């Protein structure tokens, strides 16, 4: 059973990741248009993710891992979604929050966490996706709730250890409007991803409404900061609305390995071995546990495949009768 590599963009490819406010997906099918962009990972907020909406966009599951936030009641205007192009990552899954307060915001469609695995599952990136309350800039009560979401997500992120993490979303507050939160994160080593703009920190507006504002942003923890390479803002799909916040992270993406058994005869010709015929135990190799303990997954997989192939070769085959 030799290992066969799937899509491979090579180790160290720059993973394109985007943040975008859909403004709801009704009518002009904004989500479909956004999903056609080349980004491998797309983080959407304001999805209006009722059960009906999630079912409507279920057809995208053929091309994407669709990691939806909680299902929302009818007429809801919140919702979050991480859409990951299939083949771009080893695996992608929504993860359960450790902090109890986060679960309240998940139910409101304002927060979710997703974990993406790269490089044969040995490298990970966690994304906390947030949708702050609209009107937070002008209403103190709304701002307080948005800051509560940010702090709850940051607390949960701190519980994950040193895994590369992004805290991002349509926060509906500019960084300078987050009070002490911004300083707290900076002291903990988190960095505004606009630092990786082409000509230095990029303070371009991410939302064109009114005079323009930078209310969509992403913070990278120290581990994620070592992966950051690029940042820019693209025009959105609607005039005078949100743009795409585009990040590039240096990750071993587009790399998958799966195993294909060797076939030496048609299936109908195989028969079960007799009791007196030796059967090879594919896992009885002392090297495999030791290699796994030392994180040498590829070497362990090679040994397993070799052993399994030998087992297949020893399965008895009935001689096909001549016609």
């Amino acid at each position: 059973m030799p290992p066969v590599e799937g899509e491979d963009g090579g180790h160290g490819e720059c993973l394109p990741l985007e943040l975008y406010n859909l403004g709801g997906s009704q009518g002009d099918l904004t989500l479909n248009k956004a999903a056609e962009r080349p980004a491998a990972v797309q983080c959407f907020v304001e999805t209006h993710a009722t059960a009906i909406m999630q079912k409507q966009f279920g057809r995208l599951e053929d091309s994407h891992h669709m990691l939806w936030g909680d299902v929302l009641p009818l007429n809801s205007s919140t919702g979050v979604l991480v859409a990951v192009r299939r083949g771009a990552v080893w695996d992608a899954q929504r993860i359960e929050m450790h902090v109890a307060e986060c679960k309240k915001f998940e139910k409101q469609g304002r927060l979710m966490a997703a974990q993406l695995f790269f490089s044969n599952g040995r490298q990970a990136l966690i994304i906390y996706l947030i949708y702050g309350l609209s009107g937070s800039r002008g209403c103190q009560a709304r701002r307080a709730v948005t800051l509560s979401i940010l702090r709850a997500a940051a607390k949960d992120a701190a519980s994950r250890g040193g895994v590369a993490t992004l805290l991002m979303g349509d926060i509906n507050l500019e960084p300078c409007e987050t009070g002490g939160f911004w300083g707290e994160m900076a002291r903990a080593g988190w960095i505004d991803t606009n630092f990786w703009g082409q000509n230095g920190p990029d303070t371009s507006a991410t939302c064109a409404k009114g005079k323009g504002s930078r209310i969509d942003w992403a913070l990278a923890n120290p581990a994620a900061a070592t992966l950051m390479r690029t940042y820019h803002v693209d025009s959105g799909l609607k005039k005078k609305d949100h743009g795409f916040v585009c990040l590039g992270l240096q990750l071993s993406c587009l790399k998958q390995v799966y195993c294909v058994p060797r076939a030496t005869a048609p299936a109908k010709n195989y028969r079960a071995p007799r009791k007196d015929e030796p059967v090879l135990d594919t896992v009885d190799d002392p090297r495999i546990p030791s290699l796994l303990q030392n994180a040498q997954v590829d070497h362990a997989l090679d040994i397993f495949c070799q052993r399994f192939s030998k087992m297949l070769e020893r399965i008895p085959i009935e001689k096909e009768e001549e016609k």
Side-chain angles (χ1 to χ4, degrees):
M1 186 171 66
V4 177
E5 294 184 359
E7 289 186 73
D8 186 1
H11 290 290
E13 287 292 302
C14 199
L15 177 84
L17 183 151
E18 291 183 343
L19 166 66
Y20 187 61
N21 181 312
L22 288 170
S25 301
Q26 293 91 333
D28 61 354
L29 302 183
T30 306
L31 180 56
N32 271 339
K33 294 179 182 178
E36 292 173 358
R37 290 174 59 88
V41 180
Q42 295 174 300
C43 301
F44 297 121
V45 300
E46 200 176 343
T47 60
H48 299 189
T50 63
I52 294 174
M53 286 303 293
Q54 292 194 21
K55 184 177 180 180
Q56 178 180 348
F57 290 104
R59 58 184 175 277
L60 290 177
E61 291 180 356
D62 290 338
S63 57
H64 293 75
H65 298 278
M66 301 290 280
L67 308 180
W68 291 95
D70 283 16
V71 177
L72 303 173
L74 292 175
N75 301 319
S76 174
S77 60
T78 60
V80 286
L81 163 68
V82 176
V84 185
R85 197 173 302 280
R86 294 188 183 277
V89 300
W90 179 257
D91 193 17
Q93 54 189 249
R94 183 177 169 184
I95 56 177
E96 185 176 355
M97 297 290 188
H98 292 165
V99 175
E101 191 177 10
C102 288
K103 297 179 180 180
K104 174 181 70 175
F105 297 127
E106 282 184 304
K107 291 180 180 179
Q108 296 172 3
R110 296 198 174 274
L111 175 65
M112 72 168 289
Q115 188 163 17
L116 315 182
F117 296 91
F118 304 86
S119 186
N120 301 351
R122 293 169 299 182
Q123 190 176 21
L125 173 70
I126 296 176
I127 298 172
Y128 286 86
L129 184 56
I130 296 169
Y131 181 37
L133 275 68
S134 59
S136 291
R137 304 184 70 194
C139 175
Q140 189 171 358
R142 287 176 173 268
R143 179 181 304 191
V145 175
T146 296
L147 289 173
S148 294
I149 300 172
L150 288 169
R151 285 198 164 91
K155 184 178 180 181
D156 195 275
S159 72
R160 309 282 175 177
V163 179
T165 303
L166 296 174
L167 189 152
M168 63 193 305
D170 173 3
I171 311 301
N172 275 311
L173 287 172
E174 291 207 345
C176 62
E177 297 169 333
T178 59
F181 173 79
W182 198 259
E184 294 165 12
M185 298 299 280
R187 286 189 291 274
W190 292 70
I191 301 176
D192 188 343
T193 55
N194 81 331
F195 177 82
W196 285 272
Q198 185 174 1
N199 299 308
D202 184 348
T203 57
S204 302
T206 62
C207 180
K209 294 180 179 179
K211 296 181 180 179
S213 57
R214 194 165 79 90
I215 57 176
D216 311 271
W217 40 263
L219 289 171
N221 74 348
T226 65
L227 304 173
M228 280 294 305
R229 294 295 180 270
T230 62
Y231 171 97
H232 68 278
V233 179
D234 272 354
S235 299
L237 300 176
K238 302 176 183 177
K239 292 182 178 179
K240 302 297 288 184
D241 208 330
H242 292 264
F244 289 90
V245 177
C246 308
L247 312 181
L249 293 91
Q250 197 78 24
L251 285 159
S252 297
C253 58
L254 301 178
K255 178 74 174 177
Q256 297 187 49
V257 175
Y258 54 95
C259 297
V260 180
R262 290 195 182 100
T264 58
K268 66 180 181 179
N269 295 117
Y270 287 97
R271 65 171 173 79
R274 296 189 301 270
K275 291 184 178 180
D276 60 340
E277 292 176 329
V279 178
L280 181 65
D281 185 346
T282 61
V283 297
D284 187 17
D285 191 309
R287 294 173 294 175
I288 293 178
S290 176
L291 289 168
L292 292 176
Q293 288 173 3
N294 291 299
Q296 298 182 42
V297 179
D298 287 341
H299 192 182
L301 178 61
D302 288 341
I303 293 174
F304 173 83
C305 291
Q306 292 169 14
R307 303 275 291 178
F308 198 80
S309 290
K310 289 180 180 178
M311 187 196 75
L312 289 178
E313 291 168 1
R314 294 176 65 169
I315 296 177
I317 301 174
E318 297 284 7
K319 185 178 180 180
E320 193 171 3
E321 294 182 4
E322 296 181 2
K323 295 182 180 179

